[in-house]
Amino acid sequence: MNWFIVHFAQIVFYVLAACTVAGAIGVIGFRNPVNAALSLLGTFLSVAGLFVLMHAEFLAAVQILVYAGGIMVLFLFVIMLVRVRTIPEEPQYLRSLAPAAVGVGGLLAVLVGVGLWAAARTPIANPAALHQVQGISLGNTEAVGWNLYRDYLLPFEVVSIVLLVAMIGAIVMGRKEAGKEGGA
Amino acid sequence: MGNPWIAFLLVPLVKIIVILLVVILMAAYLSYFERKILAYMQIRIGPNRVGPRGWLQPIADALKLFVKEDIVPSRAEKLVYMIAPALITAPALVVFSVIPFGADTTFFGLLKQPMPPYLTDINIGILFVLGVSSVGVYGVILGGWSSNNKFSLMGGMRSAAQLVSYEVPMGFSVVAVLLMAGSLSMVKIVEAQKQAGVWFVFPGIVAFFIYIVCGVAETNRNPFDLPEAESELVAGFHTEYSGMKWAFYFLAEYANMVLISSVATVLFLGGWLRPFPNAAALAFLDVIPPFIWFAAKVGFFLFCYIWFRGTFPRYRFDQLMALGWKVLLPVSLANLLVVGLGVLLMGGPK
């Protein structure tokens, strides 16, 4: 029982990590787009759980609020609009599956290797930084706020303008041609 | 408390069971009061056969739903159809873990040391509430989609668009309160109102109205009950649902009403505080325990819900979208600027 209590955080971590990976595999594995979207939802929720384990509660809440509660709902909305039931049921095979598998597997091996090499050289990232403001532990919300609105204010504003441009672009492209009825 | 298991396992477990029972019973009896109040508004009597004055009606309804035949459409997506009701009910119940029902109390001298009557207070409380309750929309969308019924699908789609639209102004109205309170924790928000000496409904009257309108829309209640508009969509997203699965949707809707009312109480009506918590002239009101204050305020909001249903006609869908995006969103943004300026001029939150 004591072993269980001592290693509780690790056990939770491995469960959540497994759920994250399983969900990610489900996204590309399911033929039905709704099931794939639900797998992605599972991944988002598991990642939120991982944030909580790192004491990044604010990030976890925003992850659920924005990704699970907003973006995925819109995904599902679009998927349901395009009538997924008409998608053919028979399996489709990629001709170049074997070379692609080798290539992707090699890439993955390189990435994992680089990751392990880097992890061995540098000390583990300091999780305490996730809830510290100038060395004082205030909480994750405050830490994110200080980072976004003081240290990285300019990049933050630039990103918001980029997003605004993308949004306006989408609206312009989504519009029917001007002059036609119901142009908006 | 020699044994840590009591403090860490037993006490929360007891609290969880009590909170769950209270919320579920409230949801059941809310249906009774809804029928009674609507009946009196329409000069009828309402349910009065089961038990004295019909008090046992919700119990009879629940028993009926337990034993009712559960029908699954043959061309439904079985798995999704099964879990959709749970996807809306679970978040609606989970959120009650962070709602502060009252100040620390000894339960009228039963305990030696005061204990918080709520389950927990986390420093992102209100974000947790918004985040988890936003997951509930999946129950509606997926239930509508998996039924393989065009009316269910229409209801699910309407619900998706409506919930996502009204979450935005609702979030902004909550931010107005956060600016005044300076914390995301539900308990700290109540305590900030005690320090300010005034409920946030007075400085935040605009945010309050936006929150109430969005809250009604988020729970799919009249006049925003388009996802289940019976005159056009049969019963909307739950057309095909029967028996206990339908009961779960029902439970979730009423639990969400209690939730929206509780959050409105915490954010705007001072939670468990009495009116003007610092005014000595009103000190005699302290006789009433904090929990009763909380319950009374929640009851007021729940009555308003039913009152709305008895009063307002349903919106048209384009009117609903126009109200959300063209009225509530700009007003809530402008209100945010005004409140922010006010907080800045008053010296900011502590």
Side-chain angles (χ1 to χ4, degrees):
Chain A
M1 209 63 210
N2 265 334
W3 179 90
F4 186 75
I5 294 170
V6 171
H7 294 92
F8 185 68
Q10 281 175 8
I11 295 167
V12 174
F13 170 80
Y14 282 114
V15 170
L16 286 174
C19 289
T20 309
V21 175
I25 292 172
V27 175
I28 53 173
F30 278 117
R31 295 193 51 75
N32 187 330
V34 172
N35 290 347
L38 287 181
S39 301
L40 192 54
L41 176 66
T43 300
F44 285 152
L45 293 180
S46 309
V47 170
L50 290 176
F51 280 142
V52 171
L53 273 188
M54 301 286 282
H55 294 287
E57 299 90 0
F58 180 75
L59 283 185
V62 171
Q63 164 92 9
I64 292 179
L65 193 60
V66 174
Y67 284 95
I71 291 177
M72 280 313 297
V73 173
L74 293 179
F75 273 23
L76 274 179
F77 193 72
V78 172
I79 290 171
M80 295 195 316
L81 271 180
V82 297
R83 297 178 64 83
V84 293
R85 281 166 198 280
T86 55
I87 287 175
E89 290 286 322
E90 68 267 20
Q92 297 165 330
Y93 295 108
L94 290 173
R95 292 211 184 100
S96 51
L97 197 61
V102 170
V104 172
L107 197 61
L108 187 67
V110 169
L111 281 176
V112 170
V114 169
L116 287 177
W117 178 70
R121 287 188 68 225
T122 54
I124 300 167
N126 177 18
L130 284 171
H131 48 90
Q132 277 182 350
V133 177
Q134 296 181 335
I136 307 160
S137 186
L138 278 181
N140 183 236
T141 316
E142 287 83 350
V144 171
W146 272 71
N147 270 316
L148 272 190
Y149 299 114
R150 271 175 190 260
D151 305 348
Y152 298 98
L153 180 61
L154 186 67
F156 177 75
E157 295 293 344
V158 170
V159 165
S160 67
I161 288 173
V162 170
L163 284 176
L164 183 67
V165 169
M167 199 166 75
I168 293 172
I171 292 172
V172 169
M173 285 194 282
R175 267 173 84 111
K176 297 193 182 94
E177 284 191 29
K180 279 186 186 171
E181 188 140 352
Chain B
M1 294 280 182
N3 194 340
W5 285 108
I6 292 178
F8 287 107
L9 208 62
L10 196 64
V11 172
L13 204 63
V14 170
K15 282 184 187 173
I16 289 171
I17 292 169
V18 170
I19 290 173
L20 275 182
L21 278 180
V22 168
V23 171
I24 290 172
L25 272 180
M26 270 183 87
Y29 270 87
L30 196 52
S31 76
Y32 168 75
F33 284 113
E34 175 163 32
R35 291 168 72 178
K36 269 292 189 199
I37 293 170
L38 279 180
Y40 283 123
M41 281 178 178
Q42 298 161 350
I43 333 271
R44 295 186 284 115
I45 294 173
N48 67 342
R49 296 288 136 170
V50 191
R53 293 171 151 263
W55 283 340
L56 296 179
Q57 184 69 45
I59 310 292
D61 287 343
L63 281 176
K64 181 197 79 173
L65 287 168
F66 261 119
V67 296
K68 219 175 163 180
E69 186 186 359
D70 185 47
I71 300 167
V72 180
S74 58
R75 295 202 54 206
E77 292 280 330
K78 295 280 182 324
L79 183 66
V80 181
Y81 184 85
M82 303 274 241
I83 60 172
L87 274 180
I88 186 171
T89 311
L93 295 176
V94 164
V95 171
F96 282 96
S97 57
V98 296
I99 303 287
F101 304 103
D104 289 9
T105 171
T106 56
F107 293 100
F108 308 106
L110 243 70
L111 302 173
K112 289 197 183 84
Q113 286 174 347
M115 188 175 75
Y118 46 87
L119 186 58
T120 182
D121 173 42
I122 55 179
N123 61 3
I124 51 157
I126 185 66
L127 269 182
F128 180 84
V129 171
L130 291 177
V132 173
S133 55
S134 73
V135 173
V137 61
Y138 286 102
V140 174
I141 306 177
L142 293 173
W145 174 79
S146 63
S147 304
N148 200 9
N149 171 323
K150 73 176 84 157
F151 296 116
S152 299
L153 183 64
M154 289 283 292
M157 307 274 285
R158 279 185 179 187
S159 180
Q162 174 178 333
L163 294 188
V164 171
S165 307
Y166 278 77
E167 251 168 32
V168 181
M170 185 186 221
F172 280 124
S173 68
V174 170
V175 170
V177 172
L178 300 183
L179 278 177
M180 291 186 272
S183 174
L184 291 169
S185 146
M186 303 285 270
V187 173
K188 290 227 177 77
I189 288 172
V190 174
E191 281 166 358
Q193 297 180 66
K194 184 166 184 133
Q195 275 192 356
V198 63
W199 295 352
F200 284 154
V201 63
F202 299 112
I205 186 82
V206 180
F208 175 69
F209 274 107
I210 292 170
Y211 181 86
I212 294 300
V213 173
C214 294
V216 176
E218 289 282 308
T219 41
N220 294 333
R221 296 284 302 181
N222 289 58
F224 303 111
D225 61 342
L226 287 124
E228 42 190 307
E230 69 275 356
S231 53
E232 9 176 352
L233 293 183
V234 190
F237 60 89
H238 59 58
T239 303
E240 299 287 358
Y241 280 90
S242 55
M244 272 319 279
K245 294 201 190 80
W246 180 84
F248 266 80
Y249 275 118
F250 184 86
L251 172 66
E253 176 175 329
Y254 283 79
N256 270 325
M257 283 165 66
V258 179
L259 170 74
I260 294 282
S261 305
S262 305
V263 174
T265 302
V266 169
L267 293 184
F268 295 101
L269 290 196
W272 64 79
L273 302 174
R274 66 178 165 85
F276 300 102
N278 291 341
L282 291 172
F284 65 91
L285 288 174
D286 283 338
V287 177
I288 303 169
F291 180 78
I292 304 293
W293 277 117
F294 190 88
K297 292 168 191 173
V298 171
F300 165 73
F301 282 117
L302 292 175
F303 178 77
C304 286
Y305 261 112
I306 297 165
W307 195 5
F308 291 160
R309 179 168 171 192
T311 311
F312 295 126
R314 187 179 294 133
Y315 269 84
R316 216 172 53 216
F317 198 67
D318 59 317
Q319 292 173 330
L320 175 92
M321 284 291 138
L323 178 71
W325 290 106
K326 293 181 185 165
V327 179
L328 291 180
L329 184 61
V331 170
S332 64
L333 274 172
N335 175 55
L336 201 56
L337 285 180
V338 173
V339 171
L341 194 67
V343 169
L344 205 63
L345 291 179
M346 302 277 279
K350 50 194 170 19

PDB file of all heavy atoms in Angstrom, chain B residues 119-132:
ATOM      1  N   LEU B 119     -16.476  20.415  -1.175  1.00  0.00           N
ATOM      2  CA  LEU B 119     -15.518  19.329  -1.343  1.00  0.00           C
ATOM      3  C   LEU B 119     -14.089  19.848  -1.386  1.00  0.00           C
ATOM      4  O   LEU B 119     -13.228  19.374  -0.669  1.00  0.00           O
ATOM      5  CB  LEU B 119     -15.837  18.547  -2.621  1.00  0.00           C
ATOM      6  CG  LEU B 119     -15.005  17.291  -2.836  1.00  0.00           C
ATOM      7  CD1 LEU B 119     -15.174  16.353  -1.678  1.00  0.00           C
ATOM      8  CD2 LEU B 119     -15.435  16.617  -4.115  1.00  0.00           C
ATOM      9  N   THR B 120     -13.821  20.843  -2.242  1.00  0.00           N
ATOM     10  CA  THR B 120     -12.465  21.352  -2.376  1.00  0.00           C
ATOM     11  C   THR B 120     -12.491  22.755  -2.937  1.00  0.00           C
ATOM     12  O   THR B 120     -13.488  23.190  -3.527  1.00  0.00           O
ATOM     13  CB  THR B 120     -11.624  20.447  -3.298  1.00  0.00           C
ATOM     14  OG1 THR B 120     -10.307  20.972  -3.360  1.00  0.00           O
ATOM     15  CG2 THR B 120     -12.178  20.401  -4.695  1.00  0.00           C
ATOM     16  N   ASP B 121     -11.391  23.478  -2.727  1.00  0.00           N
ATOM     17  CA  ASP B 121     -11.243  24.802  -3.310  1.00  0.00           C
ATOM     18  C   ASP B 121      -9.934  24.812  -4.082  1.00  0.00           C
ATOM     19  O   ASP B 121      -8.872  24.686  -3.495  1.00  0.00           O
ATOM     20  CB  ASP B 121     -11.218  25.871  -2.218  1.00  0.00           C
ATOM     21  CG  ASP B 121     -10.908  27.238  -2.778  1.00  0.00           C
ATOM     22  OD1 ASP B 121     -11.457  27.553  -3.853  1.00  0.00           O
ATOM     23  OD2 ASP B 121     -10.124  27.973  -2.167  1.00  0.00           O
ATOM     24  N   ILE B 122     -10.013  24.910  -5.412  1.00  0.00           N
ATOM     25  CA  ILE B 122      -8.788  24.909  -6.200  1.00  0.00           C
ATOM     26  C   ILE B 122      -8.563  26.316  -6.737  1.00  0.00           C
ATOM     27  O   ILE B 122      -9.510  27.082  -6.904  1.00  0.00           O
ATOM     28  CB  ILE B 122      -8.838  23.882  -7.347  1.00  0.00           C
ATOM     29  CG1 ILE B 122     -10.057  24.086  -8.227  1.00  0.00           C
ATOM     30  CG2 ILE B 122      -8.844  22.486  -6.789  1.00  0.00           C
ATOM     31  CD1 ILE B 122     -10.117  23.122  -9.363  1.00  0.00           C
ATOM     32  N   ASN B 123      -7.289  26.644  -7.000  1.00  0.00           N
ATOM     33  CA  ASN B 123      -6.990  28.035  -7.341  1.00  0.00           C
ATOM     34  C   ASN B 123      -7.370  28.394  -8.773  1.00  0.00           C
ATOM     35  O   ASN B 123      -7.163  29.513  -9.199  1.00  0.00           O
ATOM     36  CB  ASN B 123      -5.508  28.351  -7.080  1.00  0.00           C
ATOM     37  CG  ASN B 123      -4.603  27.483  -7.907  1.00  0.00           C
ATOM     38  OD1 ASN B 123      -5.070  26.689  -8.718  1.00  0.00           O
ATOM     39  ND2 ASN B 123      -3.311  27.623  -7.718  1.00  0.00           N
ATOM     40  N   ILE B 124      -7.926  27.437  -9.521  1.00  0.00           N
ATOM     41  CA  ILE B 124      -8.458  27.780 -10.845  1.00  0.00           C
ATOM     42  C   ILE B 124      -9.944  27.463 -10.877  1.00  0.00           C
ATOM     43  O   ILE B 124     -10.508  27.175 -11.925  1.00  0.00           O
ATOM     44  CB  ILE B 124      -7.748  26.997 -11.958  1.00  0.00           C
ATOM     45  CG1 ILE B 124      -7.755  25.508 -11.628  1.00  0.00           C
ATOM     46  CG2 ILE B 124      -6.360  27.502 -12.197  1.00  0.00           C
ATOM     47  CD1 ILE B 124      -7.606  24.641 -12.822  1.00  0.00           C
ATOM     48  N   GLY B 125     -10.605  27.545  -9.714  1.00  0.00           N
ATOM     49  CA  GLY B 125     -11.994  27.086  -9.572  1.00  0.00           C
ATOM     50  C   GLY B 125     -12.923  27.437 -10.710  1.00  0.00           C
ATOM     51  O   GLY B 125     -13.531  26.553 -11.314  1.00  0.00           O
ATOM     52  N   ILE B 126     -13.000  28.733 -11.040  1.00  0.00           N
ATOM     53  CA  ILE B 126     -14.011  29.132 -12.019  1.00  0.00           C
ATOM     54  C   ILE B 126     -13.650  28.634 -13.410  1.00  0.00           C
ATOM     55  O   ILE B 126     -14.518  28.283 -14.210  1.00  0.00           O
ATOM     56  CB  ILE B 126     -14.216  30.668 -11.982  1.00  0.00           C
ATOM     57  CG1 ILE B 126     -15.345  31.091 -12.908  1.00  0.00           C
ATOM     58  CG2 ILE B 126     -12.956  31.418 -12.316  1.00  0.00           C
ATOM     59  CD1 ILE B 126     -16.690  30.603 -12.490  1.00  0.00           C
ATOM     60  N   LEU B 127     -12.328  28.555 -13.695  1.00  0.00           N
ATOM     61  CA  LEU B 127     -11.908  28.001 -14.989  1.00  0.00           C
ATOM     62  C   LEU B 127     -12.282  26.527 -15.072  1.00  0.00           C
ATOM     63  O   LEU B 127     -12.703  26.028 -16.125  1.00  0.00           O
ATOM     64  CB  LEU B 127     -10.398  28.130 -15.157  1.00  0.00           C
ATOM     65  CG  LEU B 127      -9.889  29.391 -15.829  1.00  0.00           C
ATOM     66  CD1 LEU B 127      -8.386  29.322 -15.950  1.00  0.00           C
ATOM     67  CD2 LEU B 127     -10.509  29.542 -17.193  1.00  0.00           C
ATOM     68  N   PHE B 128     -12.116  25.832 -13.948  1.00  0.00           N
ATOM     69  CA  PHE B 128     -12.505  24.419 -13.887  1.00  0.00           C
ATOM     70  C   PHE B 128     -13.988  24.269 -14.207  1.00  0.00           C
ATOM     71  O   PHE B 128     -14.387  23.406 -15.001  1.00  0.00           O
ATOM     72  CB  PHE B 128     -12.192  23.888 -12.485  1.00  0.00           C
ATOM     73  CG  PHE B 128     -12.546  22.440 -12.276  1.00  0.00           C
ATOM     74  CD1 PHE B 128     -11.680  21.444 -12.654  1.00  0.00           C
ATOM     75  CD2 PHE B 128     -13.753  22.096 -11.705  1.00  0.00           C
ATOM     76  CE1 PHE B 128     -12.006  20.121 -12.460  1.00  0.00           C
ATOM     77  CE2 PHE B 128     -14.087  20.772 -11.503  1.00  0.00           C
ATOM     78  CZ  PHE B 128     -13.211  19.786 -11.883  1.00  0.00           C
ATOM     79  N   VAL B 129     -14.791  25.141 -13.613  1.00  0.00           N
ATOM     80  CA  VAL B 129     -16.237  25.081 -13.852  1.00  0.00           C
ATOM     81  C   VAL B 129     -16.538  25.282 -15.337  1.00  0.00           C
ATOM     82  O   VAL B 129     -17.256  24.494 -15.963  1.00  0.00           O
ATOM     83  CB  VAL B 129     -16.964  26.139 -13.003  1.00  0.00           C
ATOM     84  CG1 VAL B 129     -18.416  26.235 -13.417  1.00  0.00           C
ATOM     85  CG2 VAL B 129     -16.847  25.809 -11.542  1.00  0.00           C
ATOM     86  N   LEU B 130     -15.953  26.360 -15.919  1.00  0.00           N
ATOM     87  CA  LEU B 130     -16.232  26.649 -17.322  1.00  0.00           C
ATOM     88  C   LEU B 130     -15.729  25.528 -18.221  1.00  0.00           C
ATOM     89  O   LEU B 130     -16.414  25.101 -19.153  1.00  0.00           O
ATOM     90  CB  LEU B 130     -15.577  27.972 -17.730  1.00  0.00           C
ATOM     91  CG  LEU B 130     -16.172  29.234 -17.108  1.00  0.00           C
ATOM     92  CD1 LEU B 130     -15.371  30.438 -17.542  1.00  0.00           C
ATOM     93  CD2 LEU B 130     -17.616  29.397 -17.515  1.00  0.00           C
ATOM     94  N   GLY B 131     -14.504  25.041 -17.918  1.00  0.00           N
ATOM     95  CA  GLY B 131     -13.901  24.019 -18.768  1.00  0.00           C
ATOM     96  C   GLY B 131     -14.678  22.721 -18.740  1.00  0.00           C
ATOM     97  O   GLY B 131     -15.052  22.179 -19.779  1.00  0.00           O
ATOM     98  N   VAL B 132     -14.961  22.233 -17.540  1.00  0.00           N
ATOM     99  CA  VAL B 132     -15.623  20.930 -17.439  1.00  0.00           C
ATOM    100  C   VAL B 132     -17.052  21.021 -17.981  1.00  0.00           C
ATOM    101  O   VAL B 132     -17.515  20.123 -18.678  1.00  0.00           O
ATOM    102  CB  VAL B 132     -15.611  20.427 -15.983  1.00  0.00           C
ATOM    103  CG1 VAL B 132     -16.448  19.180 -15.854  1.00  0.00           C
ATOM    104  CG2 VAL B 132     -14.195  20.145 -15.559  1.00  0.00           C
TER     105      VAL B 132
END
